[in-house]
Amino acid sequence: MQCGWPLLGPLRWISYVNKQVKVKAGKDAEHRGWLMTVDPVSSSLVLVTFREGGGASVQVVMGHAVEEVQVLQEADEETTERLQASFLSPQTCRLDQ
Amino acid sequence: SIPTSAASEEDAELLSEEQHARSVLRESFLRCLLSMTNKKVQFNMYEKVKVEATFGASDIDVLNFQVSDLHTPIGVQKEALIRCRDVISFTFDI
């Protein structure tokens, strides 16, 4: 994907969810991780990187700084589940379920 | 009454699909913000500025972040607002 990321819209953004992506943002900065979500208001990307032995590191790339988004690979079922449960506590479930 | 054309029905369907996608994405993003409260966050800003602070809150349109204990090169600012347009990315651990 070339520039124009903030203009893509929700249907295009959601197609990147659960994929491992490489994001170019700012001057020669590159971010990699599993795309958890895209904020539809600011078009910011939430990238999650799982650490060995549990836990994860979260990177949020601001939509206005995004220059290029490249898909590296799709998540398998286990990674998808882990990814989507990252910010949910055991007591809460998603609103659309 | 005004007859609805097939085209406008298609438009309505696309619109509701788009709205659903928007709500799913936004919900996840809000949960991400929520989990960031009171966590140490590293901000990566323009001109190679890197600062660390404890995250408080964001406004709904993601224009400003409220943070505490902002470690700047000239000292620690107890309370501060960070303008989101100055930020490239930020990182925290969960």
Side-chain angles (χ1 to χ4, degrees):
Chain A
M1 213 272 323
Q2 297 309 307
C3 56
W5 174 259
L7 302 173
L8 287 188
L11 292 174
R12 297 281 303 279
W13 290 324
I14 211 165
S15 70
Y16 286 84
V17 169
N18 298 331
K19 302 212 162 99
Q20 191 182 40
V21 294
K22 186 164 88 176
V23 183
K24 254 170 117 178
K27 268 191 198 138
D28 50 61
E30 203 182 270
H31 305 77
R32 274 167 197 253
W34 296 100
L35 194 127
M36 205 234 153
T37 190
V38 179
D39 174 34
V41 176
S42 65
S43 70
S44 302
L45 301 92
V46 179
L47 306 178
V48 178
T49 311
F50 297 112
R51 274 192 309 265
E52 279 176 45
S57 141
V58 182
Q59 289 180 83
V60 181
V61 185
M62 303 303 293
H64 64 81
V66 173
E67 277 166 24
E68 198 186 324
V69 182
Q70 201 185 326
V71 176
L72 300 174
Q73 61 165 316
E74 294 203 19
D76 56 25
E77 219 169 285
E78 195 195 330
T79 314
T80 305
E81 259 174 50
R82 215 172 145 193
L83 194 60
Q84 292 305 321
S86 297
F87 299 119
L88 285 179
S89 69
Q91 297 92 344
T92 51
C93 61
R94 298 179 59 88
L95 291 173
D96 66 333
Q97 277 172 4
Chain B
S1 65
I2 305 159
T4 48
S5 67
S8 73
E9 262 172 46
E10 250 171 55
D11 280 357
E13 204 175 298
L14 187 72
L15 194 72
S16 89
E17 231 176 88
E18 203 177 278
Q19 281 295 65
H20 182 254
R22 200 187 298 275
S23 70
V24 168
L25 292 168
R26 182 69 167 170
E27 185 195 340
S28 299
F29 183 73
L30 292 179
R31 289 198 190 280
C32 167
L33 282 184
L34 211 56
S35 74
M36 207 156 55
T37 324
N38 292 325
K39 286 222 170 78
K40 279 226 181 319
V41 176
Q42 290 84 39
F43 292 92
N44 173 17
M45 307 176 75
Y46 286 100
E47 305 301 331
K48 293 186 177 151
V49 176
K50 285 188 167 70
V51 290
E52 197 180 274
T54 305
F55 190 84
S58 163
D59 46 14
I60 50 165
D61 31 21
V62 201
L63 295 175
N64 300 284
F65 294 136
Q66 179 263 316
V67 298
S68 307
D69 294 325
L70 176 68
H71 287 68
T72 77
I74 53 162
V76 179
Q77 186 69 34
K78 199 88 198 96
E79 297 295 337
L81 283 180
I82 294 182
R83 194 169 55 175
C84 296
R85 290 216 59 90
D86 298 336
V87 178
I88 296 172
S89 66
F90 53 93
T91 314
F92 65 101
D93 290 333
I94 50 169

